[in-house]
Amino acid sequence: MLADGPENTGGRAPRAILGANVEGANAHNRRVILDAIRVNRAMSRADLARATKLSKQAVSNIVDELEREGMIMAQDTVAREVPGRPAVPYVLAPNGAYAIGLHIDRHEARAVIVDLCGDVVVRQRARLNAEDPDRGFKDLLDLLSSTRKDAAVLRPELEARLVGLGVAMPGPFGIDEARSVTADVYSMARWQSFPLVSRLESETGLVVSLRNDAAAATMAEMIAGRLHGVKDAVCLYLGYGLGAGIVINGELYNGRNGNAGDVGLIPAQPGCESRPLLERLATLAALSESLELDPADPEFFTVITQIAEKSGPEYQAWLSQASREIGWLLAMTELVFAPEAIVLCGSAPQALLDDLLERLKAPGLAEDRPRMMRGLADIWAPARGAASEPIGRSFSPRYSALFKK
């Protein structure tokens, strides 16, 4: 049993965005209630009223609506030590909504379908023709079709509750292929002129959103990783390329054309001969080049894992180079953003990320910088993060919705 105070948050003040007790704000308040339950895992009506500052009657009406619609469900009552009715905690109903996440990762595509709680229902991967967007697009459609069919077998209600498709792929976006400094398969520059979003919407019948893969990986950290509940943070994403997700006041900052955080295109630190781009030095692409590996190999990530575990001289040389450049980027990040947390995650083996973090322990330019933490080491994280965007768009509160003209 819990002492008086929030019944289901361990005595801590629950985290929640404030509601609006004004006429016409019901849609916003529904999102506020759903978001509070998501962030705090389980909350009673009394918890929700205290956290959101909504009236008890408003909370009661919204909770009843959401429960009837199958968006939330009641759990067993929780007894109190103080007099009063037992508290009934509410949690998100997993089958309340579903979304698809698609990660286009140069030579491979990965698709996941997640439920309202963010749990993966089905996931599949397929080879991708990155050189020819028209042929590659057919690969994507085949993958999405197969994934939806498998998920529908497990969750018959899925198609009726599917809220959208989130796509993650390497940036930058909105560039001219002819002027791109990385106009090759590595940057997927040939896809820049391909109408990916509109074609996917037409073929799937879903609302489609697009993010760069680092931003999508950051969303995965916000849902199920180190950044859950963190308001201001930077998430460095290391995969075949290098990027960063920037979280400001609990929301992902996108920037112009969705290109915020494209740190891989920053030149190496002064003193590095010819100053190549960071993504040519501190990425799996750089490691594979030095070891003469084929990134198109279906077992590429398995091979990288084995190399990290063996820790040979070529790998150690790459570690020295990558840690030097990422350490410089880390110091700049701390001084510019002063975030609560900095996370290093990636489509890379856990052993590799741990090796990098070990070398980054030395103090940087900012003496009080937060210690960089290891996040998710998972090739599926960008797809999972991409899937969270349609659910967030449909159910997360945004104050701007209150001021639409």
mmCIF file of all heavy atoms in Angstrom, residues 157-192:
data_model
loop_
_atom_site.group_PDB
_atom_site.id
_atom_site.type_symbol
_atom_site.label_atom_id
_atom_site.label_comp_id
_atom_site.label_asym_id
_atom_site.label_seq_id
_atom_site.Cartn_x
_atom_site.Cartn_y
_atom_site.Cartn_z
ATOM 1 N N GLU A 157 -7.925 -7.137 -35.410
ATOM 2 C CA GLU A 157 -8.477 -5.780 -35.398
ATOM 3 C C GLU A 157 -7.484 -4.750 -35.939
ATOM 4 O O GLU A 157 -7.801 -3.551 -36.034
ATOM 5 C CB GLU A 157 -8.859 -5.388 -33.965
ATOM 6 C CG GLU A 157 -7.712 -5.032 -33.025
ATOM 7 C CD GLU A 157 -6.931 -6.231 -32.493
ATOM 8 O OE1 GLU A 157 -7.307 -7.382 -32.825
ATOM 9 O OE2 GLU A 157 -5.962 -6.027 -31.743
ATOM 10 N N LEU A 158 -6.287 -5.171 -36.311
ATOM 11 C CA LEU A 158 -5.199 -4.253 -36.631
ATOM 12 C C LEU A 158 -5.540 -3.262 -37.741
ATOM 13 O O LEU A 158 -5.353 -2.052 -37.583
ATOM 14 C CB LEU A 158 -3.945 -5.039 -36.994
ATOM 15 C CG LEU A 158 -2.704 -4.212 -37.336
ATOM 16 C CD1 LEU A 158 -1.457 -4.827 -36.713
ATOM 17 C CD2 LEU A 158 -2.512 -4.120 -38.855
ATOM 18 N N GLU A 159 -6.019 -3.737 -38.875
ATOM 19 C CA GLU A 159 -6.247 -2.854 -40.020
ATOM 20 C C GLU A 159 -7.232 -1.727 -39.697
ATOM 21 O O GLU A 159 -7.071 -0.601 -40.167
ATOM 22 C CB GLU A 159 -6.728 -3.655 -41.222
ATOM 23 C CG GLU A 159 -5.654 -4.511 -41.880
ATOM 24 C CD GLU A 159 -4.536 -3.696 -42.502
ATOM 25 O OE1 GLU A 159 -4.811 -2.574 -42.994
ATOM 26 O OE2 GLU A 159 -3.381 -4.157 -42.490
ATOM 27 N N ALA A 160 -8.225 -2.025 -38.877
ATOM 28 C CA ALA A 160 -9.220 -1.005 -38.530
ATOM 29 C C ALA A 160 -8.651 0.037 -37.569
ATOM 30 O O ALA A 160 -9.195 1.136 -37.455
ATOM 31 C CB ALA A 160 -10.447 -1.670 -37.911
ATOM 32 N N ARG A 161 -7.551 -0.305 -36.876
ATOM 33 C CA ARG A 161 -6.981 0.606 -35.879
ATOM 34 C C ARG A 161 -5.581 1.091 -36.257
ATOM 35 O O ARG A 161 -4.835 1.585 -35.424
ATOM 36 C CB ARG A 161 -6.948 -0.077 -34.507
ATOM 37 C CG ARG A 161 -8.338 -0.251 -33.899
ATOM 38 C CD ARG A 161 -8.304 -0.927 -32.544
ATOM 39 N NE ARG A 161 -9.613 -0.905 -31.909
ATOM 40 C CZ ARG A 161 -9.995 -0.029 -30.995
ATOM 41 N NH1 ARG A 161 -9.158 0.924 -30.608
ATOM 42 N NH2 ARG A 161 -11.188 -0.079 -30.451
ATOM 43 N N LEU A 162 -5.223 0.958 -37.532
ATOM 44 C CA LEU A 162 -3.920 1.391 -38.017
ATOM 45 C C LEU A 162 -3.950 2.899 -38.272
ATOM 46 O O LEU A 162 -4.739 3.381 -39.084
ATOM 47 C CB LEU A 162 -3.584 0.634 -39.302
ATOM 48 C CG LEU A 162 -2.127 0.498 -39.740
ATOM 49 C CD1 LEU A 162 -1.253 -0.080 -38.640
ATOM 50 C CD2 LEU A 162 -2.056 -0.368 -40.989
ATOM 51 N N VAL A 163 -3.093 3.668 -37.587
ATOM 52 C CA VAL A 163 -3.186 5.130 -37.653
ATOM 53 C C VAL A 163 -2.170 5.766 -38.602
ATOM 54 O O VAL A 163 -2.266 6.970 -38.878
ATOM 55 C CB VAL A 163 -3.034 5.757 -36.247
ATOM 56 C CG1 VAL A 163 -4.185 5.341 -35.352
ATOM 57 C CG2 VAL A 163 -1.689 5.395 -35.621
ATOM 58 N N GLY A 164 -1.217 4.996 -39.117
ATOM 59 C CA GLY A 164 -0.294 5.605 -40.057
ATOM 60 C C GLY A 164 0.994 4.832 -40.224
ATOM 61 O O GLY A 164 1.219 3.793 -39.597
ATOM 62 N N LEU A 165 1.852 5.360 -41.090
ATOM 63 C CA LEU A 165 3.147 4.775 -41.412
ATOM 64 C C LEU A 165 4.233 5.825 -41.207
ATOM 65 O O LEU A 165 4.182 6.909 -41.798
ATOM 66 C CB LEU A 165 3.159 4.290 -42.869
ATOM 67 C CG LEU A 165 4.512 3.959 -43.522
ATOM 68 C CD1 LEU A 165 5.200 2.803 -42.797
ATOM 69 C CD2 LEU A 165 4.316 3.634 -45.006
ATOM 70 N N GLY A 166 5.192 5.519 -40.350
ATOM 71 C CA GLY A 166 6.333 6.401 -40.139
ATOM 72 C C GLY A 166 7.554 5.836 -40.843
ATOM 73 O O GLY A 166 7.843 4.644 -40.730
ATOM 74 N N VAL A 167 8.268 6.683 -41.566
ATOM 75 C CA VAL A 167 9.429 6.249 -42.339
ATOM 76 C C VAL A 167 10.683 6.949 -41.829
ATOM 77 O O VAL A 167 10.666 8.155 -41.555
ATOM 78 C CB VAL A 167 9.250 6.559 -43.842
ATOM 79 C CG1 VAL A 167 10.471 6.090 -44.637
ATOM 80 C CG2 VAL A 167 7.975 5.915 -44.373
ATOM 81 N N ALA A 168 11.759 6.188 -41.683
ATOM 82 C CA ALA A 168 13.060 6.745 -41.311
ATOM 83 C C ALA A 168 14.075 6.360 -42.378
ATOM 84 O O ALA A 168 14.089 5.223 -42.846
ATOM 85 C CB ALA A 168 13.498 6.197 -39.950
ATOM 86 N N MET A 169 14.904 7.315 -42.754
ATOM 87 C CA MET A 169 15.961 7.028 -43.732
ATOM 88 C C MET A 169 17.081 8.049 -43.553
ATOM 89 O O MET A 169 16.892 9.069 -42.875
ATOM 90 C CB MET A 169 15.413 7.060 -45.156
ATOM 91 C CG MET A 169 14.945 8.405 -45.639
ATOM 92 S SD MET A 169 14.288 8.337 -47.342
ATOM 93 C CE MET A 169 15.792 7.945 -48.255
ATOM 94 N N PRO A 170 18.256 7.798 -44.130
ATOM 95 C CA PRO A 170 19.361 8.743 -43.980
ATOM 96 C C PRO A 170 19.031 10.100 -44.588
ATOM 97 O O PRO A 170 18.373 10.193 -45.620
ATOM 98 C CB PRO A 170 20.513 8.076 -44.743
ATOM 99 C CG PRO A 170 20.152 6.631 -44.806
ATOM 100 C CD PRO A 170 18.658 6.591 -44.883
ATOM 101 N N GLY A 171 19.478 11.169 -43.928
ATOM 102 C CA GLY A 171 19.362 12.508 -44.468
ATOM 103 C C GLY A 171 20.660 12.885 -45.174
ATOM 104 O O GLY A 171 21.533 12.031 -45.367
ATOM 105 N N PRO A 172 20.822 14.143 -45.562
ATOM 106 C CA PRO A 172 19.866 15.238 -45.380
ATOM 107 C C PRO A 172 18.761 15.219 -46.423
ATOM 108 O O PRO A 172 18.922 14.641 -47.499
ATOM 109 C CB PRO A 172 20.756 16.472 -45.549
ATOM 110 C CG PRO A 172 21.835 16.019 -46.483
ATOM 111 C CD PRO A 172 22.089 14.579 -46.139
ATOM 112 N N PHE A 173 17.650 15.884 -46.098
ATOM 113 C CA PHE A 173 16.510 15.968 -46.997
ATOM 114 C C PHE A 173 16.489 17.327 -47.697
ATOM 115 O O PHE A 173 17.045 18.311 -47.205
ATOM 116 C CB PHE A 173 15.201 15.784 -46.225
ATOM 117 C CG PHE A 173 15.125 14.477 -45.485
ATOM 118 C CD1 PHE A 173 14.613 14.426 -44.189
ATOM 119 C CD2 PHE A 173 15.559 13.294 -46.047
ATOM 120 C CE1 PHE A 173 14.527 13.229 -43.502
ATOM 121 C CE2 PHE A 173 15.497 12.085 -45.370
ATOM 122 C CZ PHE A 173 14.977 12.053 -44.092
ATOM 123 N N GLY A 174 15.804 17.357 -48.842
ATOM 124 C CA GLY A 174 15.611 18.620 -49.537
ATOM 125 C C GLY A 174 16.861 19.171 -50.192
ATOM 126 O O GLY A 174 17.006 20.383 -50.353
ATOM 127 N N ILE A 175 17.785 18.274 -50.563
ATOM 128 C CA ILE A 175 19.013 18.730 -51.210
ATOM 129 C C ILE A 175 18.965 18.415 -52.701
ATOM 130 O O ILE A 175 18.187 17.583 -53.148
ATOM 131 C CB ILE A 175 20.268 18.068 -50.595
ATOM 132 C CG1 ILE A 175 20.187 16.535 -50.766
ATOM 133 C CG2 ILE A 175 20.421 18.447 -49.146
ATOM 134 C CD1 ILE A 175 21.458 15.810 -50.376
ATOM 135 N N ASP A 176 19.813 19.085 -53.458
ATOM 136 C CA ASP A 176 19.954 18.820 -54.893
ATOM 137 C C ASP A 176 21.031 17.751 -55.052
ATOM 138 O O ASP A 176 22.176 17.943 -54.647
ATOM 139 C CB ASP A 176 20.374 20.111 -55.606
ATOM 140 C CG ASP A 176 20.480 19.929 -57.115
ATOM 141 O OD1 ASP A 176 20.543 18.763 -57.569
ATOM 142 O OD2 ASP A 176 20.499 20.943 -57.821
ATOM 143 N N GLU A 177 20.652 16.618 -55.637
ATOM 144 C CA GLU A 177 21.608 15.517 -55.774
ATOM 145 C C GLU A 177 22.900 15.969 -56.449
ATOM 146 O O GLU A 177 24.001 15.576 -56.056
ATOM 147 C CB GLU A 177 20.981 14.373 -56.582
ATOM 148 C CG GLU A 177 21.937 13.208 -56.802
ATOM 149 C CD GLU A 177 21.357 12.157 -57.731
ATOM 150 O OE1 GLU A 177 20.145 12.198 -57.997
ATOM 151 O OE2 GLU A 177 22.125 11.300 -58.194
ATOM 152 N N ALA A 178 22.785 16.814 -57.458
ATOM 153 C CA ALA A 178 23.970 17.234 -58.208
ATOM 154 C C ALA A 178 24.920 18.063 -57.350
ATOM 155 O O ALA A 178 26.122 18.096 -57.589
ATOM 156 C CB ALA A 178 23.546 18.037 -59.441
ATOM 157 N N ARG A 179 24.365 18.765 -56.330
ATOM 158 C CA ARG A 179 25.195 19.609 -55.470
ATOM 159 C C ARG A 179 25.572 18.929 -54.163
ATOM 160 O O ARG A 179 26.297 19.481 -53.349
ATOM 161 C CB ARG A 179 24.458 20.922 -55.158
ATOM 162 C CG ARG A 179 24.251 21.803 -56.377
ATOM 163 C CD ARG A 179 23.685 23.163 -55.997
ATOM 164 N NE ARG A 179 22.321 23.078 -55.483
ATOM 165 C CZ ARG A 179 21.974 23.265 -54.223
ATOM 166 N NH1 ARG A 179 22.885 23.540 -53.331
ATOM 167 N NH2 ARG A 179 20.725 23.185 -53.847
ATOM 168 N N SER A 180 25.061 17.722 -53.929
ATOM 169 C CA SER A 180 25.336 17.027 -52.671
ATOM 170 C C SER A 180 26.802 16.627 -52.595
ATOM 171 O O SER A 180 27.382 16.116 -53.541
ATOM 172 C CB SER A 180 24.460 15.780 -52.552
ATOM 173 O OG SER A 180 24.864 15.000 -51.442
ATOM 174 N N VAL A 181 27.395 16.847 -51.417
ATOM 175 C CA VAL A 181 28.801 16.464 -51.227
ATOM 176 C C VAL A 181 28.920 14.963 -51.027
ATOM 177 O O VAL A 181 30.011 14.418 -51.013
ATOM 178 C CB VAL A 181 29.414 17.207 -50.019
ATOM 179 C CG1 VAL A 181 29.477 18.685 -50.307
ATOM 180 C CG2 VAL A 181 28.637 16.919 -48.739
ATOM 181 N N THR A 182 27.814 14.288 -50.844
ATOM 182 C CA THR A 182 27.849 12.835 -50.646
ATOM 183 C C THR A 182 26.834 12.169 -51.560
ATOM 184 O O THR A 182 26.040 11.345 -51.135
ATOM 185 C CB THR A 182 27.540 12.477 -49.173
ATOM 186 O OG1 THR A 182 26.279 13.038 -48.818
ATOM 187 C CG2 THR A 182 28.616 12.996 -48.249
ATOM 188 N N ALA A 183 26.831 12.548 -52.831
ATOM 189 C CA ALA A 183 25.834 12.036 -53.779
ATOM 190 C C ALA A 183 26.202 10.629 -54.234
ATOM 191 O O ALA A 183 26.760 10.424 -55.305
ATOM 192 C CB ALA A 183 25.721 12.973 -54.973
ATOM 193 N N ASP A 184 25.907 9.655 -53.392
ATOM 194 C CA ASP A 184 26.207 8.268 -53.714
ATOM 195 C C ASP A 184 25.220 7.369 -52.968
ATOM 196 O O ASP A 184 24.301 7.845 -52.313
ATOM 197 C CB ASP A 184 27.651 7.912 -53.342
ATOM 198 C CG ASP A 184 28.000 8.296 -51.907
ATOM 199 O OD1 ASP A 184 27.065 8.470 -51.097
ATOM 200 O OD2 ASP A 184 29.188 8.413 -51.594
ATOM 201 N N VAL A 185 25.424 6.059 -53.079
ATOM 202 C CA VAL A 185 24.549 5.126 -52.379
ATOM 203 C C VAL A 185 24.613 5.350 -50.871
ATOM 204 O O VAL A 185 23.633 5.184 -50.149
ATOM 205 C CB VAL A 185 24.943 3.677 -52.718
ATOM 206 C CG1 VAL A 185 24.117 2.693 -51.912
ATOM 207 C CG2 VAL A 185 24.747 3.423 -54.206
ATOM 208 N N TYR A 186 25.788 5.772 -50.391
ATOM 209 C CA TYR A 186 25.989 6.009 -48.968
ATOM 210 C C TYR A 186 24.937 6.982 -48.409
ATOM 211 O O TYR A 186 24.333 6.748 -47.380
ATOM 212 C CB TYR A 186 27.397 6.560 -48.738
ATOM 213 C CG TYR A 186 27.692 6.970 -47.327
ATOM 214 C CD1 TYR A 186 28.108 6.041 -46.387
ATOM 215 C CD2 TYR A 186 27.532 8.292 -46.924
ATOM 216 C CE1 TYR A 186 28.360 6.413 -45.089
ATOM 217 C CE2 TYR A 186 27.784 8.672 -45.630
ATOM 218 C CZ TYR A 186 28.209 7.728 -44.712
ATOM 219 O OH TYR A 186 28.453 8.111 -43.424
ATOM 220 N N SER A 187 24.713 8.093 -49.115
ATOM 221 C CA SER A 187 23.761 9.099 -48.648
ATOM 222 C C SER A 187 22.369 8.900 -49.225
ATOM 223 O O SER A 187 21.448 9.620 -48.855
ATOM 224 C CB SER A 187 24.253 10.499 -49.034
ATOM 225 O OG SER A 187 24.258 10.639 -50.442
ATOM 226 N N MET A 188 22.199 7.942 -50.145
ATOM 227 C CA MET A 188 20.926 7.703 -50.825
ATOM 228 C C MET A 188 20.414 8.969 -51.502
ATOM 229 O O MET A 188 19.219 9.251 -51.523
ATOM 230 C CB MET A 188 19.896 7.150 -49.843
ATOM 231 C CG MET A 188 20.296 5.816 -49.230
ATOM 232 S SD MET A 188 18.962 5.016 -48.312
ATOM 233 C CE MET A 188 17.919 4.446 -49.661
ATOM 234 N N ALA A 189 21.347 9.756 -52.064
ATOM 235 C CA ALA A 189 20.980 11.034 -52.682
ATOM 236 C C ALA A 189 20.028 10.862 -53.860
ATOM 237 O O ALA A 189 19.251 11.758 -54.170
ATOM 238 C CB ALA A 189 22.243 11.776 -53.133
ATOM 239 N N ARG A 190 20.077 9.706 -54.525
ATOM 240 C CA ARG A 190 19.185 9.488 -55.669
ATOM 241 C C ARG A 190 17.720 9.425 -55.252
ATOM 242 O O ARG A 190 16.829 9.556 -56.088
ATOM 243 C CB ARG A 190 19.582 8.206 -56.397
ATOM 244 C CG ARG A 190 20.936 8.282 -57.085
ATOM 245 C CD ARG A 190 21.285 6.997 -57.779
ATOM 246 N NE ARG A 190 22.603 7.066 -58.398
ATOM 247 C CZ ARG A 190 23.196 6.047 -59.014
ATOM 248 N NH1 ARG A 190 22.570 4.884 -59.099
ATOM 249 N NH2 ARG A 190 24.396 6.192 -59.533
ATOM 250 N N TRP A 191 17.473 9.197 -53.969
ATOM 251 C CA TRP A 191 16.098 9.138 -53.474
ATOM 252 C C TRP A 191 15.549 10.532 -53.193
ATOM 253 O O TRP A 191 14.361 10.678 -52.893
ATOM 254 C CB TRP A 191 16.039 8.287 -52.203
ATOM 255 C CG TRP A 191 16.228 6.823 -52.450
ATOM 256 C CD1 TRP A 191 17.386 6.193 -52.792
ATOM 257 C CD2 TRP A 191 15.235 5.808 -52.376
ATOM 258 N NE1 TRP A 191 17.178 4.836 -52.929
ATOM 259 C CE2 TRP A 191 15.868 4.574 -52.679
ATOM 260 C CE3 TRP A 191 13.876 5.803 -52.073
ATOM 261 C CZ2 TRP A 191 15.184 3.361 -52.696
ATOM 262 C CZ3 TRP A 191 13.195 4.594 -52.081
ATOM 263 C CH2 TRP A 191 13.837 3.398 -52.396
ATOM 264 N N GLN A 192 16.406 11.566 -53.274
ATOM 265 C CA GLN A 192 15.953 12.906 -52.940
ATOM 266 C C GLN A 192 14.845 13.397 -53.878
ATOM 267 O O GLN A 192 13.934 14.100 -53.453
ATOM 268 C CB GLN A 192 17.135 13.880 -52.972
ATOM 269 C CG GLN A 192 18.110 13.725 -51.816
ATOM 270 C CD GLN A 192 17.496 14.110 -50.493
ATOM 271 O OE1 GLN A 192 16.603 14.957 -50.438
ATOM 272 N NE2 GLN A 192 17.941 13.484 -49.416
#
